[in-house]
């Protein structure tokens, strides 16, 4: 039903084309649905008709991913304009209530093309990190405090502690819900189809990597975070009865290493499945300058992290998706000419655990590697992004080429295809 401003009211699902949760697994069109996914945060940007848009490239990227067996994309739905240099430009939200309709139409174009290829998308609606503006920019708007850029301050503990104030700021939360409603109730300008009725949306996601605060989060901060997850997810479900809702959590690494907090945040009926991320280098398990000396430790910890979260999902009786993981190129180097032997070895370890546990019937529902760089290329000698450069899998707060999988990384692509075929063959 069309409401005011061309937005739509929630409508019940008319068919089984929507991704649903059946016990501890996903189902779609009457069959088990395993995610073989890529992070493609900039997909909506490429879909814009002009400016930063590159529609011809977008079609090529989608075709290439589809050919590999990739069936799911994790995409940034909204970004916030900010003065921080390590954030993407332009942004979908220029100020509270002021939207860049051309960029939002780019998201429409992406969704229209995804539908033609029968892929699905996870759309995240905020960001705990600064590279798209995110929660720290909301606090700038509504508290007047400077948006914090940890690329500049090098102080992540303070950044995380202050950014978590977003959950407690009533004005920021009200505007965030306005943005949620703007996207969830949107009508696609390309297809005329309301997003609520789009079977190619797998889930709405509260944010990219929301955290309760820093490593020393207090019981009060944790309680605020759990309440925010529950109530925000409930709000999305009140707008849209058709789609799943997820948190975007990294798992224990994003829960102050508190398993009970992670369980409490995902126990609510408003969260349909669990998410987790795996970053051995970022978490200092792996040293790219000493790969042989740190590999065994990194893989031991990675295996434990991968498997322990599947056990946590069992406790809640819900599916879980490994929706981010990555490793850098050999050297280490950001150059596309550098080999990817260590990364490929890491990917195989990860893929094998996901596939083996899924084949046994455990609640692991698939993966999204970080991230699809495709035909994008770093433009600058220092590998840092500037406005007008290609978008790649690495957002502007990281060197371009750090974790991206490019269309010339043949060994990585073949590995993805190998495990895509295996996961798609699982019958449930």
């Amino acid at each position: 039903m069309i409401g005011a401003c061309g937005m739509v009211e929630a409508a019940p699902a008319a068919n089984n084309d929507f991704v649903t949760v059946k016990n501890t697994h996903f189902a779609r069109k009457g069959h088990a649905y395993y995610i073989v996914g890529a992070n493609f945060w900039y997909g909506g940007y490429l879909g814009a008709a002009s400016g930063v848009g590159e529609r011809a490239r977008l079609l090529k990227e989608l075709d290439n991913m589809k050919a590999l067996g990739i069936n799911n994309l994790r995409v940034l739905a909204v970004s916030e304009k900010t003065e921080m240099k390590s954030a993407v430009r332009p942004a979908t939200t220029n100020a509270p209530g002021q939207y860049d309709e051309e960029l939002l139409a780019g998201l429409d174009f992406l969704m229209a093309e995804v539908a033609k290829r029968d892929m699905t998308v996870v759309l995240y609606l905020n960001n705990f990190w600064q590279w798209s503006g995110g929660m720290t920019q909301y606090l700038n708007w509504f508290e007047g405090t400077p948006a914090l850029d940890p690329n500049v301050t090098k102080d992540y503990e303070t950044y995380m502690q202050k950014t978590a104030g977003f959950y407690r700021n009533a004005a920021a939360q009200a505007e965030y819900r306005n943005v949620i409603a703007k996207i969830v109730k949107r009508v696609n300008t390309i297809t005329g189809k309301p997003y609520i009725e789009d079977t190619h949306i797998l889930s709405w996601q509260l944010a990219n990597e929301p955290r309760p605060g820093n490593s020393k989060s207090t019981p009060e901060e944790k309680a605020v975070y759990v309440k925010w997850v529950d109530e925000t997810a409930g709000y999305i479900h009140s707008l849209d009865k058709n789609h799943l809702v997820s948190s975007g959590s990294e798992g224990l690494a994003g829960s102050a290493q508190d398993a009970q907090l992670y369980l409490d945040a995902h126990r609510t009926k408003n969260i349909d499945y669990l998410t987790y991320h795996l970053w051995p280098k970022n978490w200092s398990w792996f040293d790219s300058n000493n790969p042989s000396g740190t590999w065994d430790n990194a893989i031991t910890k990675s295996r434990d992290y991968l498997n322990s979260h599947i056990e946590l999902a069992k406790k809640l009786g819900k599916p879980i998706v490994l929706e981010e993981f990555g490793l850098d190129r050999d050297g280490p180097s950001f150059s596309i000419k550098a080999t990817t032997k260590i990364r490929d070895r890491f990917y195989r370890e990860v893929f094998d655990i996901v596939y083996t546990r899924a084949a046994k019937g455990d609640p692991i529902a698939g993966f999204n590697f970080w991230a699809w760089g495709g035909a994008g290329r770093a433009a600058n000698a220092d590998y840092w992004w500037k406005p007008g450069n290609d978008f790649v899998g690495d957002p502007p707060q990281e060197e371009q080429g750090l974790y991206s999988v490019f269309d010339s990384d043949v060994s990585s692509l073949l590995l993805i295809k190998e495990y895509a075929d295996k996961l798609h063959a699982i019958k449930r």
Side-chain angles (χ1 to χ4, degrees), residues 77-97:
V78 289
S79 51
E80 295 75 34
K81 186 177 181 180
T82 181
E83 296 303 313
M84 293 181 290
K85 286 188 169 59
S86 63
V88 66
R89 290 172 172 73
T92 62
T93 308
N94 291 315

Side-chain angles (χ1 to χ4, degrees), residues 285-288 290-299:
W285 297 351
F286 180 73
D287 182 353
S288 301
N290 181 21
S292 59
T294 55
W295 172 263
D296 288 347
N297 173 66
I299 285 302

Side-chain angles (χ1 to χ4, degrees), residues 104-122:
L104 292 179
L107 187 63
D108 295 342
F109 185 84
L110 170 70
M111 293 308 305
E113 292 300 324
V114 159
K116 292 176 184 177
R117 293 158 180 82
D118 201 26
M119 302 163 87
T120 60
V121 174
V122 173

Side-chain angles (χ1 to χ4, degrees), residues 327-404:
L327 207 62
D328 50 351
R329 307 175 81 89
D330 300 334
S333 174
F334 308 121
S335 170
I336 198 165
K337 296 176 182 177
T339 56
T340 59
K341 291 176 183 177
I342 297 172
R343 182 180 72 192
D344 292 347
R345 187 179 174 193
F346 173 67
Y347 269 31
R348 185 174 289 280
E349 288 274 356
V350 172
F351 291 163
D352 201 55
I353 288 175
V354 171
Y355 168 70
T356 301
R357 297 294 303 263
K360 287 179 180 176
D362 289 328
I364 181 70
F367 65 79
N368 296 79
F369 64 86
W370 186 283
W372 184 259
R377 297 293 184 267
N380 305 307
D382 62 1
Y383 293 98
W384 287 100
W385 184 85
K386 295 183 177 67
N389 294 164
D390 286 353
F391 291 116
V392 300
D394 309 290
Q397 99 287 7
E398 294 175 330
E399 294 92 342
Q400 305 295 279
L402 177 61
Y403 294 125
S404 289

Side-chain angles (χ1 to χ4, degrees), residues 117-329:
R117 293 158 180 82
D118 201 26
M119 302 163 87
T120 60
V121 174
V122 173
L123 292 170
Y124 47 103
L125 298 159
N126 208 325
N127 198 343
F128 189 76
W129 305 113
Q130 82 280 14
W131 58 262
S132 61
M135 297 178 188
T136 188
Q137 182 54 44
Y138 272 91
L139 292 176
N140 172 248
W141 286 336
F142 294 103
E143 286 186 352
T145 50
L148 289 176
D149 188 345
N151 272 33
V152 175
T153 66
K154 309 299 181 186
D155 183 354
Y156 278 88
E157 286 290 295
T158 298
Y159 174 86
M160 291 186 285
Q161 192 270 329
K162 289 191 173 180
T163 298
F166 168 78
Y167 311 127
R168 299 186 297 272
N169 185 292
Q173 290 303 305
E175 180 57 25
Y176 172 50
R177 291 197 175 195
N178 289 340
V179 172
I180 290 172
K182 172 80 173 177
I183 302 299
V184 172
K185 299 170 75 173
R186 184 174 177 81
V187 176
N188 190 307
T189 58
I190 307 293
T191 65
K193 176 179 284 190
Y195 275 39
I196 287 170
E197 296 176 14
D198 190 341
T199 58
H200 297 92
I201 294 173
L202 186 149
S203 86
W204 300 109
Q205 193 159 94
L206 305 191
N208 178 56
E209 300 192 333
R211 291 186 172 196
N214 63 20
S215 63
K216 300 178 180 65
S217 294
T218 66
E220 179 192 14
E221 288 171 330
K222 292 176 180 179
V224 167
Y225 172 73
V226 170
K227 185 170 185 279
W228 173 80
V229 170
D230 176 38
E231 292 183 351
T232 308
Y235 175 67
I236 296 173
H237 276 302
S238 76
L239 300 175
D240 180 355
K241 307 297 185 188
N242 292 334
H243 291 109
L244 306 178
V245 177
S246 54
S247 68
S249 171
E250 300 150 89
L252 295 189
S255 306
Q257 300 298 333
D258 183 342
Q260 190 59 52
L261 171 62
Y262 180 65
L263 290 170
D264 289 346
H266 293 83
R267 193 184 311 279
T268 168
K269 67 179 181 0
N270 293 321
I271 290 292
D272 295 294
Y273 64 95
L274 287 69
T275 62
Y276 68 134
H277 302 176
L278 175 63
W279 289 107
K281 177 174 177 171
N282 294 9
W283 300 342
S284 301
W285 297 351
F286 180 73
D287 182 353
S288 301
N289 292 298
N290 181 21
S292 59
T294 55
W295 172 263
D296 288 347
N297 173 66
I299 285 302
T300 298
K301 288 185 175 180
S302 294
R303 288 172 180 159
D304 179 66
Y305 197 83
L306 290 168
N307 286 311
S308 64
H309 283 76
I310 297 172
E311 297 307 312
L312 292 171
K314 278 186 183 179
K315 286 187 177 183
L316 295 185
K318 296 181 181 184
I320 186 169
V321 177
L322 177 66
E323 59 172 22
E324 283 190 22
F325 59 94
L327 207 62
D328 50 351
R329 307 175 81 89

